[in-house]
Every structure is written in structure tokens, then in C-alpha cells.
Amino acid sequence: MFSMAHNTGETMKQKIAILCSGGDVSGMNPALKRFVEYAHARGIEPYFIHHGFEGLIDNNITPASYADVTGIITRGGTKIGSARSKRFLENYYREIAAKNLKALGISMLIVLGGDGSFRGMERFYAEQGIAFCGIPSTIDNDINGTDYCLGVDTALGVIKGSIDQIRDTASSFRRAFVIETMGRNCGYLALISAMTSGAELCLIPEIPVNLHEYKGCFQSQISKGRDYFIAIVSEALQNTHEISQWFEKELGFESRISVLGHIQRGGNPSVYDRLMAYRFVTYAIDALLEGKTHSVICYTKSHFTFKTIDEVALHPYRIDEELLNLGREQFAPSHCQM
Ligand code: ADP
């Protein structure tokens, strides 16, 4: 009798799962830790889905315990893995994924990913009725509707550290360093990095410039003793080599390229990313328990709000105009200090 009553109580507990989809970011592990702890605090059972939508299809779903998240808060990446999934684009595999979740009694999902992942989840919700809340997670900070995406602050810290170190060697050797940051089509990482690292040039798609307009000013700086340049270039422009050659050909300045690449994705999660992971996950779980079925939690003007997939996925992200104006002013050829 006692054991039956006990079992009935157990089966009535709501179950929630979390997965990471697309590119990983530093901040995912702190999010997983908060997920397990807060789910328990709210009396629901937490599950991990390993390797994104692939794990959902392959039934790679495990109960999540405190032991699973011990010691992970300091680590970049994601303990449960992330993936892109071609199969999830097909209805056949989404049905298998839904069967796996339903067999385990999981009715709610938290998805750490980008707008593509949220689009996929919206479809999944419409077809299968599995509620979800998306948490914007990408170092590119290019998701419309949110001022902040998980992972950005840690990535900016990694970039800052790299530029500072490159500056040491650049200044010793009389060189121009052209440093390429990630960002896909968005110049956010490059802009913030250039503004906060004392770069001479910032080249991003959002602020078009004509390189030749800097020539006179840079020549004047060289004649007065400048012995190095730091140029920050967004990968979106795909012209890092051209810029490096410009320094050599037009200014006669030896130039080196440094493509920062995937180091920007890793690293010990910053305090800000740990805190944002904590807050995103807390409010996402609260929202699902309050009955929100298909939303993305966004952070706008210092507040958390819930938006529809269309609000985040229909329009491209635009860097805040105030920041762009500051960048335009600082890096305009007309403001170059002779
Ligand atoms: P991100 O989430 O970073 O924008 P992607 O655009 O690569 O990354 O999307 C991640 C995954 O989301 C894809 O591999 C796919 O499995 C799923 N997905 C994206 N769009 C859809 C869609 N329209 N229908 C179903 N699944 C989708």
C-alpha cells in the first residue's frame, strides 16, 4: 500500500528537460547547474538531452542529478554536448523525438540555442504539443529581440585578453596587427572589442568605411612616432587579408593577421555569464510552470521578457543605434587624430 502511494506520487511529478543546440557557448554549463538545482527546488524532475536534437531523436535522454553538475560551473562548453541536426528538419524524426519524450513523461523543454533552434522547436510544439522556452545562446549576439545572448561576455573577455597580448608584441616589433573576430554576419563582437581595447581601426558591416580615407591620418601618426596599429575586423566582412595588404602596400607597414577563431567560444564563464545563465534558466522554468508554451526569454533594457519566435526570428538583429553612433564617431576617418 505504502509503496503504491509512493509510486503514484512520483509519477505525478512534472518532468522537464534541457538541451543545447547549435554552437556551444561559455555559460551553458552554469545554466545546466542552475537547471538541475532550480528544477528540484520547484519540485519537478530534471532531465538532460545529450547532443541537441540528435539526442532527442536517438533517445539519449537521462535523468539529471546534482552529481552531474558538480564542478561544472567553471567550465566552458557544455557537459551535455551540442549539435546541429539535419534529421530534426524532417517530420518523421520529429515524431520519433516526441515519442521518446512522451514515453518518459517529459512535457517541457528548455533549449539553449539560436533562432534556428527556436524555429525548430516552434514547429515541434505546433505538431506535438511539447512546451518549450528558448534561451538565446550565441557569442555572436545576433538574435533579434534580445540585447544579450548567453556567452557574449565571456567571448568578449577572451578577445580582450588576446588583443592585450597582441598589443604587447605589436608594440615591440613595429607592426600592424589585423585581428579578426567571430560574429557571423554581425559586427557586435568586433565593435565592442575595438571600442574597449584602444584599436585604431574597427571594420564591421554596420559601419561601412573607405580604408583610403585613413591613409593621410595614419601616415601623419607614423611620422610622429606611432610604431604599431591594431585593427579589429569582423569575420562578416571577409576582407581580413585585404586590410593587412593595405597596411603593407599603402603605409609600408609590416602587417600580421591574427584570426582568433574558436578560442572565442571557450574559457572560464565570466561572472556576468554565470549570472545571466542563472537568471535565464530561473525565469524560463518559472514561465513553463506558469503555462507559457512556446516562447523565447529575452533580456531587453535590463528586463526579462518573453517573445514569440517570429519576434526573434523574422527580422535580422541590429546593433543598438547608440552603440553604433559611438563606434561611428570613434572610428570615423574624420575623427582620426593627426
Ligand atoms: P541556431 O540555433 O544557432 O540558429 P541552426 O540554424 O543551425 O542554429 O539551427 C539548429 C538546428 O535547429 C538545426 O540543425 C535543425 O535541427 C533545427 N532547425 C532549424 N530550423 C528548423 C526548422 N525550420 N524546422 C525544424 N528544425 C529546425
Side-chain angles (χ1 to χ4, degrees):
M1 281 289 283
F2 173 78
S3 126
M4 270 188 68
H6 178 73
N7 281 342
T8 313
E10 290 258 308
T11 49
M12 284 181 65
K13 242 185 183 184
Q14 282 182 286
K15 294 177 179 179
I16 186 167
I18 193 165
L19 67 82
C20 303
S21 175
D24 62 291
V25 303
S26 260
M28 283 178 164
N29 276 330
L32 298 179
K33 181 174 167 64
R34 178 61 181 163
F35 168 75
V36 172
E37 292 175 353
Y38 193 57
H40 282 304
R42 294 289 319 252
I44 52 178
E45 262 185 66
Y47 281 76
F48 286 150
I49 298 166
H50 302 264
H51 303 293
F53 295 138
E54 288 288 287
L56 202 54
I57 295 164
D58 295 332
N59 207 14
N60 196 348
I61 306 170
T62 55
S65 71
Y66 290 117
D68 292 323
V69 292
T70 305
I72 67 171
I73 204 164
T74 59
R75 284 162 42 197
T78 161
K79 182 168 181 179
I80 61 174
S82 187
R84 295 196 171 84
S85 170
K86 284 204 176 124
R87 292 187 294 167
F88 201 70
L89 295 169
E90 293 179 37
N91 181 45
Y92 171 77
Y93 289 106
R94 289 197 300 276
E95 277 183 8
I96 294 175
K99 275 191 195 129
N100 292 338
L101 286 175
K102 286 174 186 169
L104 288 166
I106 296 168
S107 56
M108 298 174 283
L109 278 186
I110 290 184
V111 174
L112 304 173
D115 49 3
S117 306
F118 304 151
R119 194 50 98 192
M121 276 311 300
E122 182 175 59
R123 236 166 135 179
F124 194 54
Y125 167 73
E127 292 163 357
Q128 305 293 342
I130 308 268
F132 78 97
C133 184
I135 296 180
S137 309
T138 164
I139 66 164
D140 304 328
N141 211 34
D142 64 349
I143 299 181
N144 186 47
T146 186
D147 294 343
Y148 192 74
C149 300
L150 193 63
V152 172
D153 188 61
T154 306
L156 286 171
V158 170
I159 298 169
K160 178 200 71 139
S162 306
I163 298 173
D164 288 353
Q165 283 175 263
I166 287 170
R167 179 185 295 280
D168 292 343
T169 171
S171 57
S172 317
F173 240 94
R174 201 175 183 278
R175 276 176 179 160
F177 264 87
V178 181
I179 303 170
E180 183 185 292
T181 65
M182 279 185 164
R184 274 199 298 191
N185 299 318
C186 175
Y188 185 87
L189 286 182
L191 175 65
I192 303 301
S193 299
M195 287 169 80
T196 55
S197 64
E200 281 67 55
L201 261 183
C202 171
L203 299 159
I204 60 173
E206 294 85 349
I207 307 182
V209 292
N210 180 351
L211 217 43
H212 295 289
E213 290 177 25
Y214 294 94
K215 189 172 171 180
C217 174
F218 284 1
Q219 279 174 329
S220 156
Q221 290 184 2
I222 292 166
S223 71
K224 287 177 186 155
R226 170 175 282 290
D227 54 7
Y228 69 94
F229 289 91
I230 303 270
I232 311 296
V233 187
S234 165
E235 69 175 355
L237 290 175
Q238 299 188 333
N239 63 357
T240 307
H241 280 274
E242 233 173 85
I243 292 156
S244 173
Q245 280 170 1
W246 182 80
F247 275 104
E248 302 226 332
K249 285 190 188 139
E250 300 292 328
L251 295 178
F253 225 80
E254 199 182 330
S255 173
R256 290 287 182 277
I257 289 172
S258 186
V259 178
L260 298 184
H262 282 82
I263 62 162
Q264 294 162 95
R265 285 251 193 100
N268 173 273
S270 69
V271 170
Y272 192 71
D273 272 325
R274 293 181 197 198
L275 181 62
M276 288 304 282
Y278 193 99
R279 296 166 88 192
F280 272 135
V281 167
T282 303
Y283 300 134
I285 291 180
D286 284 346
L288 285 164
L289 289 175
E290 281 159 18
K292 276 205 164 52
T293 50
H294 54 296
S295 60
V296 177
I297 181 166
C298 295
Y299 187 68
T300 317
K301 303 202 186 318
S302 305
H303 287 93
F304 290 90
T305 54
F306 293 87
K307 298 198 174 166
T308 63
I309 311 307
D310 279 353
E311 282 174 286
V312 299
L314 268 190
H315 304 287
Y317 171 79
R318 261 197 72 76
I319 298 175
D320 179 69
E321 203 52 37
E322 181 249 355
L323 274 177
L324 278 178
N325 281 336
L326 290 173
R328 282 188 192 106
E329 195 220 293
Q330 184 179 350
F331 297 108
S334 54
H335 285 79
C336 184
Q337 302 290 316
M338 292 269 200

